[in-house]
Amino acid sequence: MSLYEVEHVSRRYGRAGTGASVLAVDDVSLTVEAGQRLGIVGESGSGKSTLVRMMAALDAPSSGVIRFGGEVVSHRRERDLAGLRSSVQLVFQDPRSSLDPRMRVGAVITEPLRSRLLRDRGDVPKDHRSRLAEVLASVDLPLEVAGRFPHELSGGQRQRVAIARALAPGPQVLIADEPVSALDVSVRAQVLNLVRDLVTAHGLTLVMVSHDLTVVRHVCDSVVVMRHGRVEEQGPSEQVYEDPQSAYTKELLAAIPRLRI
Ligand SMILES: Nc1ncnc2c1ncn2[C@@H]1O[C@H](COP(=O)(O)OP(=O)(O)O)[C@@H](O)[C@H]1O
Ligand SMILES: [Mg+2]
């Protein structure tokens, strides 16, 4: 049994008031094994974010089924998703919008550990402080950052905070959607190396989305190429990068500027 099983999943979005709709994900099937580092690549609008949002059960497929650890997680009510919620954490593209600007970094990072009640008070309970120190150290940020607000940090630091927040509950799977796309080119490689090292150190399963094939090649052992909502090609990274089968993948690879990272 694979950790994730995505079977014939489609997602159609209606266009409000127009009667028109767009098939964002079109009959996608894939599996993710425990410990795998899967990269999902494709140009903007190819359905990457929609696919991983469904894998994180933030959105439901229009058809098809997604299993996590053998349990169906598509079309489940929130209260039936405890297993997935505790095992899968996300990092989004832009930490400016994914981190609550009114919360100090310490509270942001420990929020996934806290009950609703404490969350409303915004306190960091004592037993969470050691976890906070641990995860801040693991993303190479000084402890003093805990007292600052996200907007007081650089883009790279903010994304480290988002990564620390994802790691805090001790997940099994990290889903990262374009984790370095919003960052200055100068800090992308650092943050990417950090993700790779943390995934290795904690034995995590990684699903990483990028429109940039170089980014995925740097970190992932296997790759899915998406186009117009469909899987164009998939396989081990070496195979897809060295010997692409689809004309579209060849085109994408040929378009990569050399020596980007
Ligand atoms: N919430 C939404 N409502 C309507 N259309 C959407 C929504 N999210 C995405 N889409 C459309 O679905 C397609 C795939 O989008 P997306 O999954 O964001 O692609 P990617 O992440 O590869 O750029 C695009 O045509 C996009 O405009
Ligand atoms: Mg996207």
Side-chain angles (χ1 to χ4, degrees):
M1 182 183 77
S2 300
L3 183 62
Y4 257 115
E5 291 161 323
V6 174
E7 285 180 8
H8 300 291
V9 161
S10 298
R11 176 69 169 97
R12 185 177 288 281
Y13 291 113
R15 287 261 154 85
T18 62
S21 68
V22 51
L23 193 54
V25 169
D26 181 5
D27 195 22
V28 166
S29 295
L30 57 86
T31 56
V32 184
E33 307 301 326
Q36 191 176 339
R37 301 164 180 201
L38 176 69
I40 301 178
V41 301
E43 54 198 309
S44 177
S46 57
K48 307 180 297 294
S49 294
T50 302
L51 176 62
V52 295
R53 284 179 56 79
M54 292 190 287
M55 291 174 73
L58 299 175
D59 196 359
S62 307
S63 60
V65 85
I66 299 177
R67 282 189 212 88
F68 177 75
E71 302 267 322
V72 173
V73 293
S74 45
H75 309 285
R76 302 308 297 274
R77 284 166 304 189
E78 192 54 42
R79 63 168 188 247
D80 297 325
L81 290 171
L84 180 100
R85 290 281 176 257
S86 65
S87 307
V88 178
Q89 290 291 321
L90 289 108
V91 174
F92 296 99
Q93 175 170 353
D94 187 357
R96 252 173 320 197
S97 48
S98 64
L99 304 179
D100 188 335
R102 296 159 305 178
M103 282 166 80
R104 290 180 199 276
V105 164
V108 165
I109 291 175
T110 54
E111 192 195 39
L113 305 174
R114 283 176 291 149
S115 70
R116 187 86 164 265
L117 190 71
L118 286 166
R119 206 147 32 210
D120 290 344
R121 294 202 341 234
D123 300 341
V124 178
K126 239 195 203 137
D127 56 332
H128 292 166
R129 297 218 182 111
S130 57
R131 184 69 185 141
L132 175 61
E134 213 170 86
V135 291
L136 275 174
S138 73
V139 297
D140 300 327
L141 286 175
L143 192 53
E144 58 169 37
V145 163
R148 306 232 209 114
F149 288 97
H151 72 261
E152 298 176 298
L153 307 178
S154 71
Q157 287 174 324
R158 271 198 296 268
Q159 199 58 309
R160 287 171 193 267
V161 168
I163 294 166
R165 175 188 158 91
L167 291 179
Q172 184 183 2
V173 181
L174 194 63
I175 296 181
D177 189 351
E178 306 266 12
V180 300
S181 304
L183 304 182
D184 282 350
V185 174
S186 60
V187 298
R188 280 185 197 169
Q190 274 173 30
V191 173
L192 219 49
N193 287 338
L194 176 69
V195 169
R196 193 188 50 192
D197 294 348
L198 288 169
V199 165
T200 304
H202 297 278
L204 299 177
T205 305
L206 178 70
V207 177
M208 191 171 79
V209 166
S210 182
H211 65 278
D212 185 335
L213 279 79
T214 318
V215 161
V216 164
R217 184 175 208 171
H218 199 63
V219 179
C220 297
D221 53 34
S222 52
V223 58
V224 164
V225 180
M226 288 188 72
R227 184 190 194 192
H228 303 324
R230 301 185 69 99
V231 172
E232 178 79 14
E233 176 161 4
Q234 60 180 314
S237 300
E238 281 297 296
Q239 184 188 310
V240 173
Y241 285 96
E242 299 303 331
D243 186 21
Q245 299 302 303
S246 108
Y248 178 70
T249 309
K250 285 178 193 165
E251 255 174 61
L252 279 184
L253 287 168
I256 297 178
R258 299 286 153 211
L259 302 171
R260 280 278 296 285
I261 290 186

